[in-house]
Amino acid sequence: MKRTRTMALLAMAAMATATALTGPAEAFTGAASTAKTRETTHTTHTTNTASGKAVRYAWVASCAKGDYVTPCGSWTLSLRGGKTVKVPEATVYPRGADGRPDKESSAPFAVSGDGSRVVYFRRSDHKLVWTDVASGRSHGLPGSSAKLPKRLGMEDVAATLSHDGDTVVVDYGDASGKLPTLVVHLRSGEVVKLPGKDDVQGFSPDGRRVLLSRTTADNTTEFTVYDTDGQAGESREVPQVVSNNSPIALADDGVTVGVVIVPTSGRPRLRLYDLSTDAVSPAVDLNVPSSESPYRLDWDESGKLTLWRLRSSDDGTLTRVTASRVDPSDGALKKIDSFRVRGKIYTWWLPGE
């Protein structure tokens, strides 16, 4: 499970027991990155968020088994237009390194930020594939990037799609960190390697950069930005106020990182961190209701942000997801989407995860 998702879910659990955002001030946007960028021809996918055919969230149902629950049924996509679409070829029970399915866990799944594409392990051949949601057509990832490495199980693999779904990052959880992280360009079939010991934090909104993090020998955290052609950009050991909080998001300039600080009491706060100068902006309180928990933070290509937040019942069950644009000057939230999450689900994934 990805680090950002784990931290956000812990924050939601703690709370249970107790798109666009106006751009940051110019002083905090950071210098434009000088790292080499890939020339890319962008084409329109067969689906878009306005059509109602984009994914709102993906989920697997839960079934009672004695005094606990297990995943059951097929992966299902809840679309913006209100329909649901099953993905029967997507693996539900992950296979371990020994090839045996674990029927008490769920296999990896990923949704692009615009909801147009999904990635999963195909049941028939256990390969990673991507599917266009509107057409339902699936395609295998190129070459060995589709295959599960030896001595690894499906749960040791995390796939992340760029916002437009054109690029996939495949991160392996091998203990040694020797397996490189793969950047797979779906349109060209090109595969680029990044350092395997680093953890993937996410894409920039244009899909041309990836933010990686690693723990140093001094027990500090280092952020490095890579172009998706493998060229390293800004890199720096970051302050604890950045490394110890979540959610975070990388802007298109390749240096600005948005981070939400979730204190043990009081309102969550937004800060902007500049990798090129090591500067942290003043904190701005976010007007998040006490019943909700910040979950995801996403930049868009216009330099604005979207904050996703979760609401859960008293027992920690997720009940509603809300996305808002944020005014960084005063932390005001303007809702742009909100939906109830169906009951009795085992796991779920939002666009961008």
Side-chain angles (χ1 to χ4, degrees), residues 171-253:
D171 191 13
Y172 300 113
D174 56 314
S176 66
K178 291 182 178 179
L179 289 175
T181 294
L182 304 181
V183 179
V184 183
H185 296 275
L186 299 180
R187 195 167 301 280
S188 67
E190 182 183 4
V191 178
V192 175
K193 296 179 180 180
L194 300 181
K197 290 186 177 181
D198 294 2
D199 296 320
V200 176
Q201 297 298 327
F203 280 94
S204 60
D206 63 6
R208 296 184 177 185
R209 296 180 178 87
V210 182
L211 177 64
L212 302 185
S213 69
R214 72 178 184 91
T215 302
T216 70
D218 296 326
N219 204 31
T220 61
T221 299
E222 181 177 272
F223 281 3
T224 303
V225 177
Y226 284 88
D227 289 349
T228 52
D229 60 3
Q231 298 295 315
E234 295 289 345
S235 183
R236 185 183 295 273
E237 291 184 12
V238 302
Q240 289 186 351
V241 70
V242 177
S243 63
N244 291 350
N245 285 285
S246 178
I248 63 174
L250 175 69
D252 271 345
D253 63 8

Side-chain angles (χ1 to χ4, degrees), residues 29-35 209 234 253-255:
T29 58
S33 172
T34 58
R209 296 180 178 87
E234 295 289 345
D253 63 8
V255 297

Side-chain angles (χ1 to χ4, degrees), residues 112 203 214 227 300 305 346 351:
S112 64
F203 280 94
R214 72 178 184 91
D227 289 349
D300 66 21
L305 283 164
Y346 183 85

Side-chain angles (χ1 to χ4, degrees), residues 15 18 34 43 51 183 269:
M15 181 164 289
T34 58
T43 59
S51 70
V183 179
R269 292 168 291 172

Side-chain angles (χ1 to χ4, degrees), residues 120-136:
Y120 49 84
F121 280 102
R122 188 162 50 199
R123 291 175 61 183
S124 61
D125 56 10
H126 312 146
K127 290 185 177 181
L128 278 172
V129 301
W130 65 272
T131 293
D132 179 89
V133 175
S135 69

Side-chain angles (χ1 to χ4, degrees), residues 267-297:
R267 291 187 183 277
R269 292 168 291 172
L270 173 68
R271 284 190 160 184
L272 302 179
Y273 175 68
D274 190 327
L275 270 167
S276 65
T277 64
D278 201 31
V280 182
S281 74
V284 176
D285 287 344
L286 296 171
N287 296 320
V288 175
S290 59
S291 59
E292 297 178 347
S293 174
Y295 180 65
R296 283 190 54 80
L297 191 65

